[in-house]
Amino acid sequence: MSRKQWNDKVVYQIYPKSFLDTNGDGIGDLRGIISKLDYLKDLGIDMIWLSPIYKSPFVDQGYDIADYYAIAEEFGTMEEFDKLLAEAKKRDIQIIMDLVINHCSDQHEWFQKALADPEGEYADYFFFREGKDGNPPNNYRSYFGGSCWEPVPGTNKYYFHMFAKEQPDLNWENPKLRQELYDMINWWLEKGVAGFRIDAIINIKKDPTFPDFEPDGADGLTGCWRMVESVDGVGDLLEDLKKHTFQKYDAFTVGEVFNMRDEELAEFIGEDGHFSTIFDFCAHNLSDGEHGWYDAPPLNFQRWREAIVNSQLEIQNCGYEANIIENHDEPRGVSRFLPEYARTPAGAKMLGTVSILLRGIPFIYQGQEIGMQNAVWNSIEEYDDISTKDQYRIAREAGLSEKEALEVCGRMSRDNARTPVQWDAGEHAGFTEGTPWIKVNPNYKEINVTDQENDPDSVLNYYRRLIAVRKSPEYKEVFASGKFVPVFENTESVMAFYRVDAHKRILLAANFGKETTTLKLEYPMKKVILSNQGSVNIDTSEHAGNTLTLRSCEVVVLDCE
Ligand code: GLC
Ligand code: CA
């Protein structure tokens, strides 16, 4: 797909396990997704990204793949997947899969064969290295905590894993392994998927000498991302991947890329970039703590605005990024980016408007369109997420009380976004007739799809209008390709920008503050395109000049001269 074919699309991320269960086992499934395609069509969705649905032991919720060619039984069958593809196609909706190829599951046949014969050819699909004086080969800490090295039973070797020990890293230096992956990718593309969201992809390039780095924590280890930042050559691997797969099928690709070197942006998303696009995590990175979630800095509106503005200005020099508020790894945006007084339907609409009308491809995460929020968790046992358990441990070891550590997880946990979609006010929010695999957010009686269907003013119906505006024949072009120009950057609580092309100048202005604020408009307004609080207060009288007054949590989108 050329840029022109995807830069006006709106994408929806489904986390299948929590979307909709149709057989009462408490786990969302493919049939659940099929039954909601009309709902997604109605919302204005062009493309669905499915979080992993492959066969997996679910140590990391499917990001640990045991068979790339099989559908997890929990989710359904290959026939049901084919049906999903066909039904989506009927509605002009494309499907992209999650591609997890930095690592696989320790249950994958390749790894099982490698363990059975640590000197054999499959060991070279992974990184097997000898220990140093009875210790692991080096001092890297995995993303989920603890050493990156796990002993290979019956040997003096260790295998390398950047995530959980059940997720051994694949050796991309081995051409045989690469070919196996390319064949698999092409197999899915032949089936008719439109492309992939590509997981943790920057990590595929290893420094095969695995040098030690200065320890950065009390455990004496160092974050494995340091190797990612220091090693050269990931671009060659990514080009090889693209050339043998995506390029041949004109596929859409969105990379999950952290720790990229700034100067390499164009190589990643430029005209001939490694990917169609990558996610913009600039706002999410603001809450990176030095040692973990527990020392994450609190969100500050000005820093958030500045991060987004700078990122938009940078990206438009070379390509497009994918804009998100939340995903399956991040807390709910309403709870994270909005102050307490703004965690309301008006606030959810305001935040959504900013995200969806920025320059880039909007990705909406399931439940975002009804303004779902973080859950309230009462004990660490209620959590499922492997990373949350690690972060809880880190917080406790750093001296936080149980209550404090839980509070941190309550704010930051990945499980906040993984609670079931709230379909109605009935039992288990209409997600399942059985027992949900993870608890439902108790606020489902106030926040659910069915109630919002019936309320013209709901967050859901607002999202429908918002997406329709973005895709309308009149404004499609300017929202897809128009330049991003920030404005009112010195106004304390206002996030505002223009989207501009040769034909249109659109102003978006949002008041994140608690108090009403008045802005002096630079251009006369032609038309109100969208507003989240009814009538728009513009005063063009002589004494006022041309001013716009915004209530707290008000957002307006104006077509200007
Ligand atoms: C990505 C996924 C995350 C997963 C990790 C390891 O960051 O989004 O859910 O845990 O990769 O595959
Ligand atoms: Ca099910």
Side-chain angles (χ1 to χ4, degrees):
M1 272 182 266
S2 72
R3 272 185 186 182
K4 278 271 168 219
Q5 284 165 295
W6 52 252
N7 77 352
D8 60 355
K9 301 234 181 299
V10 177
V11 189
Y12 189 89
Q13 181 192 352
I14 291 184
Y15 193 70
K17 198 166 183 181
S18 302
F19 189 67
L20 179 62
D21 173 29
T22 58
N23 64 351
D25 66 357
I27 295 175
D29 43 51
L30 294 178
R31 284 161 61 163
I33 300 172
I34 296 171
S35 75
K36 292 294 178 187
L37 287 172
D38 286 330
Y39 167 78
L40 296 176
K41 183 72 197 167
D42 210 37
L43 183 59
I45 299 306
D46 303 297
M47 194 186 278
I48 295 171
W49 152 27
L50 293 176
S51 273
I53 55 170
Y54 313 87
K55 185 177 160 73
S56 164
F58 288 89
V59 169
D60 184 22
Q61 293 305 347
Y63 285 89
D64 45 325
I65 298 175
D67 184 348
Y68 289 96
Y69 292 93
I71 303 290
E73 275 169 36
E74 291 85 342
F75 294 153
T77 63
M78 193 57 83
E79 287 68 46
E80 285 165 344
F81 177 76
D82 291 338
K83 173 136 193 266
L84 170 60
L85 263 185
E87 289 296 320
K89 193 166 182 196
K90 274 188 206 161
R91 293 162 178 83
D92 215 10
I93 294 177
Q94 295 175 306
I95 305 271
I96 64 173
M97 301 280 280
D98 215 307
L99 190 60
V100 189
I101 47 178
N102 172 67
H103 47 268
C104 59
S105 161
D106 62 350
Q107 300 306 308
H108 195 287
E109 184 186 6
W110 299 332
F111 192 70
Q112 289 298 317
K113 286 183 174 163
L115 285 186
D117 181 8
E119 303 299 327
E121 72 166 301
Y122 282 96
D124 202 32
Y125 275 39
F126 301 91
F127 295 98
F128 280 33
R129 290 285 191 281
E130 267 170 32
K132 270 196 312 214
D133 316 320
N135 290 313
N138 82 359
N139 69 349
Y140 297 170
R141 180 190 311 107
S142 79
Y143 291 117
F144 292 157
S147 170
C148 279
W149 297 98
E150 191 66 17
V152 177
T155 70
N156 58 355
K157 290 188 172 173
Y158 293 74
Y159 69 87
F160 187 69
H161 63 90
M162 296 180 88
F163 293 89
K165 68 179 192 319
E166 295 86 353
Q167 294 168 297
D169 279 51
L170 293 164
N171 177 9
W172 275 72
E173 307 302 323
N174 179 349
K176 262 182 107 173
L177 175 272
R178 292 207 301 273
Q179 193 56 48
E180 298 246 29
L181 293 176
Y182 300 164
D183 291 346
M184 177 274 292
I185 293 168
N186 292 335
W187 185 84
W188 284 100
L189 288 166
E190 283 292 333
K191 236 184 194 311
V193 306
F196 299 93
R197 173 269 185 185
I198 308 172
D199 188 74
I201 191 67
I202 194 103
N203 298 291
I204 61 173
K205 182 70 196 179
K206 315 295 196 252
D207 182 337
T209 66
F210 293 106
D212 279 319
F213 288 102
E214 198 60 37
D216 61 15
D219 55 5
L221 302 177
T222 184
C224 60
W225 52 268
R226 286 180 206 277
M227 173 190 69
V228 176
E229 290 193 349
S230 77
V231 69
D232 292 319
V234 71
D236 296 336
L237 291 179
L238 295 177
E239 279 307 294
D240 196 61
L241 164 65
K242 178 177 118 183
K243 196 172 77 204
H244 289 95
T245 58
F246 316 137
Q247 198 166 53
K248 298 197 286 184
Y249 292 83
D250 209 10
F252 173 76
T253 55
V254 47
E256 185 205 30
V257 177
F258 292 97
N259 310 96
M260 185 194 62
R261 297 174 188 164
D262 291 345
E263 68 275 13
E264 290 181 354
L265 185 63
E267 287 164 43
F268 277 74
I269 61 165
E271 199 65 56
D272 285 319
H274 308 316
F275 304 113
S276 310
T277 185
I278 61 176
F279 291 106
D280 187 350
F281 290 116
C282 69
H284 306 82
N285 294 341
L286 292 175
S287 37
D288 282 351
E290 208 176 319
H291 299 104
W293 292 351
Y294 77 89
D295 61 1
L299 191 96
N300 167 286
F301 172 77
Q302 275 87 15
R303 284 188 62 219
W304 174 79
R305 175 176 60 185
E306 195 188 340
I308 293 181
V309 166
N310 290 344
S311 174
Q312 288 271 303
L313 292 174
E314 179 73 38
I315 293 161
Q316 67 186 353
N317 295 325
C318 61
Y320 294 87
E321 288 198 5
N323 296 315
I324 64 159
I325 292 175
E326 62 212 33
N327 68 20
H328 67 291
D329 292 331
E330 303 289 341
R332 291 286 181 179
V334 168
S335 307
R336 177 187 203 164
F337 296 118
L338 295 173
E340 222 166 307
Y341 60 81
R343 294 175 197 156
T344 59
K349 294 173 191 171
M350 174 175 69
L351 187 63
T353 312
V354 171
S355 175
I356 285 169
L357 299 186
L358 283 173
R359 186 176 173 287
I361 307 128
F363 275 60
I364 297 168
Y365 178 68
Q366 65 183 35
Q368 179 189 321
E369 75 278 19
I370 56 169
M372 279 180 67
Q373 303 185 355
N374 283 355
V376 176
W377 306 88
N378 305 308
S379 82
I380 190 66
E381 274 71 50
E382 284 185 347
Y383 288 101
D384 169 274
D385 172 34
I386 186 169
S387 172
T388 305
K389 292 184 176 157
D390 177 52
Q391 290 293 337
Y392 178 81
R393 186 185 52 79
I394 293 174
R396 290 306 305 272
E397 280 172 16
L400 274 70
S401 70
E402 184 184 342
K403 188 158 170 265
E404 288 163 339
L406 267 179
E407 194 274 326
V408 167
C409 295
R411 252 186 303 120
M412 300 299 288
S413 174
R414 311 201 294 180
D415 280 342
N416 282 311
R418 299 178 180 184
T419 64
V421 172
Q422 295 161 205
W423 293 105
D424 61 41
E427 210 187 353
H428 308 312
F431 162 71
T432 179
E433 284 176 1
T435 307
W437 72 275
I438 193 169
K439 73 175 202 177
V440 173
N441 191 323
N443 69 9
Y444 69 93
K445 293 217 160 82
E446 294 81 59
I447 300 178
N448 65 69
V449 172
T450 304
D451 287 354
Q452 295 199 17
E453 290 277 6
N454 300 326
D455 172 5
D457 244 6
S458 65
V459 177
L460 175 61
N461 279 312
Y462 181 85
Y463 259 80
R464 289 178 174 147
R465 292 196 288 276
L466 169 62
I467 295 168
V469 159
R470 192 186 149 110
K471 295 172 63 172
S472 66
E474 192 173 1
Y475 297 110
K476 185 182 173 136
E477 195 49 43
V478 68
F479 285 127
S481 313
K483 269 185 73 168
F484 168 91
V485 182
V487 59
F488 303 122
E489 286 170 280
N490 298 322
T491 311
E492 212 182 317
S493 58
V494 169
M495 169 65 157
F497 54 84
Y498 295 107
R499 296 297 310 280
V500 194
D501 66 11
H503 310 284
K504 295 250 183 279
R505 185 197 324 269
I506 311 297
L507 171 67
L508 179 152
N511 178 13
F512 281 72
K514 207 170 178 174
E515 313 300 331
T516 295
T517 188
T518 296
L519 304 172
K520 180 112 188 63
L521 296 181
E522 297 175 292
Y523 305 97
M525 190 261 296
K526 285 202 284 197
K527 186 166 137 193
V528 176
I529 305 176
L530 201 65
S531 80
N532 72 337
Q533 294 192 29
S535 64
V536 171
N537 300 308
I538 293 192
D539 190 344
T540 51
S541 66
E542 207 168 321
H543 77 96
N546 183 19
T547 56
L548 167 68
T549 300
L550 291 171
R551 289 159 276 209
S552 172
C553 299
E554 180 167 6
V555 62
V556 301
V557 184
L558 308 177
D559 189 345
C560 301
E561 298 273 327

